[in-house]
Amino acid sequence: MKRPANPGAEKGKLVAYLNARLLDPASGLDTPGALLTTGDQIADVGPRLFSGGVPSGVEVVDCGGHCLAPGLIDMHAFVGEPGAEHKESFASASAAAAAGGITTLICLPNTDPAIDEPAIVEYVERRARENSLVRVQPMAAVTKGLKGEEMTEMGLLVEAGAVAFTDGDRAIASARVMRRALAYSTLFGKLVIQHAEDPSLARDGAMNEGDVSTRLGLAGIPTAAEAMVVERDVRLVALTGARYHVAQVSAADTLEVIRAAKKRRLNVTCGTAPHYFALNENAVNDYRTFAKVSPPLRTEDDRLAVIEAIKDGTIDVIVSAHLPQDVESKRLPFAQAAFGAAGLETMLAVALTLHHSHGLSLNEVLARMTVGPAKLLGLNSRGVLRAGAKADLMLFDPDKPWRVNVDKLKGKSKNTPFESIPLSGKVLMTVVDGLKVYDAATA
Amino acid sequence: MSDSATLGYPHRHLLGIEGLLPPAITHLLDLADGYVDLNRGIDKKKSSLRGRTQVNLFFESSTRTSTSFELAGKRLGADVINMAVARSSVSKGETLLDTAMTLNAMHPDVLVVRHQDSGAVHLLSQKVGCAVINAGDGAHEHPTQALLDALTIRRRRGRLDGQVVAICGDILHSRVARSNIHLLNTMGAQVRVIGPPTLMPRNIDELGVEVHHDMRKGLRNVDIVMMLRLQMERMQGAYVPSLREYFHLYGLDQEKLALAKPDALIMHPGPMNRGVEIDSTVADDINRSVIREQVEMGVAVRMACLDALTRNLPNIGAAS
């Protein structure tokens, strides 16, 4: 399935989504109703829309009483282009994203070559435009070649289309480099996103440091490796006034630091990935390399702290942290196996455990994956269900039970830690720019 | 003018602009004005420094400034010695104070010192018996540059007070910027500094300047655009990512210059990096660029400083 080369061909097409449960996390709207799209925009939405019937010439989609929400914005996904197309391409990643209800994919710059030059931003945008079902926007590297030494041309990268800056899975370890990058980034108002893990402390570590690592005989990574980087960075944020974001928080210690920074009204935000609130380090038992992620899965106390932090707003966004790895990278002794979990197709369902088991409303859960990231990245008119916004939609059934069947995953790499786990909540249809890019009935 | 003439320059050294009062600055500028005329004549020689010994002590290499000081001293009749200490004696292990003691024993009257460390000239001035002129110390001050800039502006505009001056570029490492900020503020001009946050010293606003990171906003309606040299070693990712991005954001070209007043003057302390901080068409714009004039004013200002300081020295007879 491919988007038409020229979406303009469908310009002005009217589609009515009837019989829906409308969910708009930005406004808190949660009501039965209908929605109308014109071309790539939402034209109208509300409980009384089409109460007098649908005019002729309007295509009708019956939502069957299911939830119609803004399409998800995933602000942290690795796509292997350029350089690792055998793990994931824009075609395969976007098919997985569409199946997961994701309409905007923010891809990481730790490709080969890294996205550290305006020309590579443009290359990625062109490849994505030609091959992706969903909207793809790249982040650019903070430092040239992700080496953590010299700043990239942030100004030219922003002009080329970079939406934020990060060195991907590498921490910016030098305080001096981080300070300058933060200061320089204030010129453009874009987030600097840190992979918070002190490399000298985490070196050779394969999992969380604790009794499980001791029993398994694996080198551990202490939570301090995460918290101390954030603690340092918070001081640099206070010094520079920059906008700083921690990509994925896994530990209670780190959350305390972020909570304190927010209390001081510093521009500090953070995200987490579904595995940090759905799994703990016990998933690593039996040396399961699919549960080897960075930062590592932590203790049960950390997991509960992550849930608490999502509830109280300390954690701003939930990301897929999609990091596809081929079999050769994972079927290895634990210490040698690559980090990372495929996450695009399971993000929503795992996030919905927060609704089913931890008391968050559907809108509260969705806000972390729609309006939340849209605000952080300055993506106006996305992640909201309102007239004038982009017609990026997701139709889903929050209660539909299913089990992750690895063979049915659309991504090229199948390294999910959620294999065979029962989940509730399934995407039925995904719409990007007013066009259907995924339909469970025909998929 | 009569005021400044009576008060003269009431200090033994010229170590910086900070702390100088308006009459002292005006006195030096008035004196320099006279030397501009002298320098444009055929007989450029005076004898007011005859018998005096001026030593140019440059720990950091410089062509323009040392030549300018040398010429200034010679035109006033002094014996001028250029000491090429640039790192040689330092590498031999001699400390700054040893060098000072050695020089002191030679009885110079004026010592012109440039040093790569902020404060080094101050330290030296405490240990020698002669007058000391700071020809640039680290990122601290370069007073004669600020004076020659002020003279250039005053001759073009007739006044310093009320002028809106934008100093653009690497403020962090610039002694020229610091001296100019002190001088222009003292004389009633309004100063803006423009540069990336990575090249802006902390709390610079407390020196009484308006800070801008967006050059287009900072240049709006300024009378004077003062560009600073971007040192090559500061580039390449350390403070700014690349030359092309720096030029894109902070290079003075016709488009950005159009935001300044239509008759705004363009200044640069030199040497210029064309295509890095300044576009050639702007640097060579004969109607607006006063960069060559600055060099000319440099000699006159240094003559004025040498003259004013030696007037304060004891007579030769009394000194020995």
Side-chain angles (χ1 to χ4, degrees):
Chain A
M1 194 157 60
K2 203 168 166 178
R3 287 164 82 194
N6 178 13
E10 306 267 345
K11 207 170 182 177
K13 183 181 168 188
L14 298 169
V15 184
Y17 297 84
L18 305 180
N19 190 23
R21 177 179 171 189
L22 301 169
L23 291 173
D24 179 33
S27 63
L29 177 81
D30 181 352
T31 174
L35 182 142
L36 174 71
T37 62
T38 309
D40 64 355
Q41 285 201 337
I42 297 172
D44 205 351
V45 58
R48 278 171 298 280
L49 184 64
F50 301 124
S51 52
V54 182
S56 62
V58 179
E59 188 185 318
V60 170
V61 175
D62 184 354
C63 296
H66 295 305
C67 296
L68 188 65
L72 304 182
I73 298 169
D74 177 11
M75 65 181 274
H76 193 95
F78 177 81
V79 180
E81 287 197 54
E85 288 84 354
H86 62 291
K87 292 182 179 175
E88 198 79 282
S89 64
F90 285 117
S92 65
S94 69
I102 295 161
T103 53
T104 299
L105 199 59
I106 308 298
C107 63
L108 288 163
N110 47 315
T111 45
D112 183 17
I115 305 175
D116 62 355
E117 285 257 358
I120 303 174
V121 172
E122 281 157 15
Y123 168 82
V124 165
E125 287 177 325
R126 181 174 60 74
R127 289 285 301 165
R129 205 163 46 237
E130 290 169 359
N131 298 290
S132 175
L133 291 169
V134 305
R135 195 189 320 275
V136 172
Q137 289 187 272
M139 295 192 274
V142 178
T143 63
K144 291 173 188 166
L146 309 167
K147 288 191 182 131
E149 290 160 8
E150 300 173 1
M151 276 191 289
T152 54
E153 294 164 310
M154 291 187 186
L156 300 176
L157 288 162
V158 167
E159 284 179 24
V163 294
F165 294 95
T166 180
D167 274 358
D169 57 359
R170 297 202 199 171
I172 297 148
S174 156
R176 169 188 285 250
V177 171
M178 190 58 167
R179 179 201 181 163
R180 292 207 183 124
L182 286 170
Y184 198 72
S185 76
T186 61
L187 288 172
F188 316 105
K190 300 290 180 195
L191 285 185
V192 172
I193 302 179
Q194 175 73 296
H195 179 77
E197 187 167 86
D198 184 278
S200 62
L201 202 53
R203 190 170 54 194
D204 302 331
M207 67 169 298
N208 183 48
E209 183 177 290
D211 48 353
V212 180
S213 68
T214 298
R215 190 163 46 77
L216 293 177
L218 291 169
I221 301 168
T223 55
E226 180 176 300
M228 62 194 270
V229 168
V230 178
E231 234 160 14
R232 178 202 75 178
D233 288 347
V234 164
R235 289 179 191 274
L236 297 177
V237 170
L239 201 60
T240 57
R243 298 182 61 219
Y244 169 80
H245 181 83
V246 185
Q248 305 172 61
V249 176
S250 67
D253 290 347
T254 314
L255 290 165
E256 284 314 307
V257 178
I258 292 168
R259 205 167 268 133
K262 287 190 166 193
K263 206 168 272 174
R264 290 171 63 196
R265 300 195 174 282
L266 294 172
N267 278 322
V268 173
T269 54
C270 70
T272 195
H275 35 260
Y276 298 115
F277 55 78
L279 302 173
N280 63 28
E281 60 183 348
N282 291 319
V284 172
N285 272 332
D286 305 331
Y287 301 97
R288 246 185 88 71
T289 59
F290 280 12
K292 181 176 178 180
V293 289
S294 173
L297 298 174
R298 306 287 188 186
T299 65
E300 180 63 5
D301 285 347
D302 289 306
R303 185 182 81 88
L304 295 174
V306 167
I307 292 168
E308 197 50 44
I310 295 172
K311 277 188 189 172
D312 71 16
T314 303
I315 291 176
D316 304 85
V317 296
I318 297 170
V319 300
S320 74
H322 183 67
L323 179 47
Q325 297 290 6
D326 52 7
V327 174
E328 286 68 36
S329 309
K330 281 291 192 183
R331 200 174 285 157
L332 289 168
F334 196 88
Q336 292 172 35
F339 287 99
L344 295 171
E345 288 163 83
T346 50
M347 175 166 78
L348 176 69
V350 179
L352 285 173
T353 59
L354 297 168
H355 168 65
H356 296 303
S357 312
H358 301 285
L360 277 82
S361 73
L362 284 175
N363 268 335
E364 283 172 327
V365 176
L366 293 177
R368 309 293 190 275
M369 298 178 281
T370 53
V371 66
K375 274 190 181 160
L376 288 184
L377 298 169
L379 307 177
N380 298 322
S381 74
R382 308 243 205 103
V384 290
L385 215 58
R386 88 163 93 82
K390 286 280 174 210
D392 291 355
L393 307 169
M394 166 181 73
L395 182 68
F396 72 104
D397 176 351
D399 302 313
K400 188 181 167 83
W402 63 296
R403 276 175 198 272
V404 179
N405 180 345
V406 172
D407 297 330
K408 286 197 176 161
L409 291 178
K410 296 187 185 306
K412 260 190 199 174
S413 299
K414 318 287 186 186
N415 51 314
T416 172
F418 298 111
E419 188 181 352
S420 307
I421 288 181
L423 294 168
S424 294
K426 197 112 178 62
V427 176
L428 303 173
M429 185 191 293
T430 307
V431 174
V432 175
D433 279 340
L435 299 170
K436 191 159 69 178
V437 296
Y438 174 77
D439 188 338
T442 58
Chain B
M1 193 140 162
S2 57
D3 221 27
S4 74
T6 46
L7 287 169
Y9 179 81
H11 308 282
R12 192 177 139 202
H13 305 299
L14 175 60
L15 300 177
I17 299 292
E18 189 178 12
L20 295 188
L21 296 174
I25 291 168
T26 305
H27 173 72
L28 292 175
L29 296 180
D30 291 346
L31 213 50
D33 248 334
Y35 286 122
V36 174
D37 298 333
L38 178 78
N39 288 336
R40 285 177 180 174
I42 293 173
D43 181 4
K44 302 178 181 65
K45 199 89 174 169
K46 281 197 72 174
S47 57
S48 41
L49 261 70
R50 184 189 296 168
R52 299 289 193 189
T53 302
Q54 172 192 338
V55 178
N56 293 342
L57 185 61
F58 278 63
F59 291 88
E60 197 182 66
S61 58
S62 147
T63 318
R64 318 178 146 235
T65 310
S66 70
T67 309
S68 183
F69 269 109
E70 183 179 354
L71 206 52
K74 284 181 170 164
R75 285 191 180 159
L76 293 176
D79 295 316
V80 183
I81 313 268
N82 289 313
M83 297 225 3
V85 276
R87 276 155 217 167
S88 66
S89 50
V90 177
S91 61
K92 283 177 198 157
E94 188 175 52
T95 68
L96 179 65
L97 293 182
D98 288 337
T99 309
M101 299 322 260
T102 309
L103 281 169
N104 216 19
M106 298 176 192
H107 300 294
D109 299 286
V110 185
L111 210 49
V112 178
V113 188
R114 167 168 291 189
H115 198 281
Q116 61 276 13
D117 291 333
S118 304
V121 183
H122 269 89
L123 181 63
L124 204 123
S125 73
Q126 292 160 9
K127 303 292 169 187
V128 294
C130 61
V132 175
I133 298 179
N134 182 359
D137 65 322
H140 175 228
E141 282 233 42
H142 190 358
T144 55
Q145 178 71 42
L147 287 163
L148 74 87
D149 288 338
L151 185 62
T152 309
I153 297 170
R154 202 178 73 164
R155 286 173 67 94
R156 280 285 184 139
R157 289 287 147 85
R159 60 195 303 153
L160 290 168
D161 61 293
Q163 298 288 312
V164 182
V165 183
I167 307 177
C168 315
D170 182 358
I171 311 291
L172 182 64
H173 301 99
S174 178
R175 51 196 174 213
V176 174
R178 285 171 178 77
S179 286
N180 264 306
I181 289 168
H182 292 310
L183 191 149
L184 292 165
N185 275 338
T186 305
M187 301 308 284
Q190 263 183 60
V191 184
R192 298 181 192 169
V193 290
I194 304 172
T198 44
L199 290 175
M200 202 59 86
R202 268 189 101 184
N203 302 349
I204 180 87
D205 52 319
E206 284 173 21
L207 294 185
V209 297
E210 216 178 274
V211 181
H212 289 269
H213 298 304
D214 181 341
M215 189 163 185
R216 288 179 170 81
K217 283 186 190 149
L219 285 183
R220 212 156 282 163
N221 288 321
V222 300
D223 297 287
I224 314 282
V225 184
M226 204 179 265
M227 299 305 299
L228 297 175
R229 172 182 166 76
L230 186 67
Q231 310 254 347
M232 290 295 175
E233 63 270 23
R234 315 257 192 249
M235 291 180 258
Q236 298 312 333
Y239 292 89
V240 290
S242 68
L243 298 186
R244 64 178 178 179
E245 175 146 320
Y246 186 79
F247 185 76
H248 181 65
L249 295 173
Y250 298 103
L252 187 67
D253 53 16
Q254 295 290 359
E255 186 229 322
K256 294 191 194 90
L257 182 59
L259 295 159
K261 282 191 183 159
D263 62 345
L265 300 178
I266 300 153
M267 306 180 74
H268 193 299
M272 285 182 276
N273 295 306
R274 289 170 186 263
V276 176
E277 72 261 356
I278 191 162
D279 190 81
S280 274
T281 63
V282 175
D284 300 334
D285 184 338
I286 50 163
N287 296 316
R288 311 179 59 177
S289 168
V290 293
I291 295 170
R292 276 175 48 206
E293 220 166 295
Q294 287 173 273
V295 180
E296 186 191 358
M297 295 306 124
V299 179
V301 154
R302 282 154 190 144
M303 288 168 80
C305 294
L306 290 167
D307 190 357
L309 287 179
T310 48
R311 281 184 205 181
N312 295 346
L313 286 174
N315 288 329
I316 297 174
S320 56

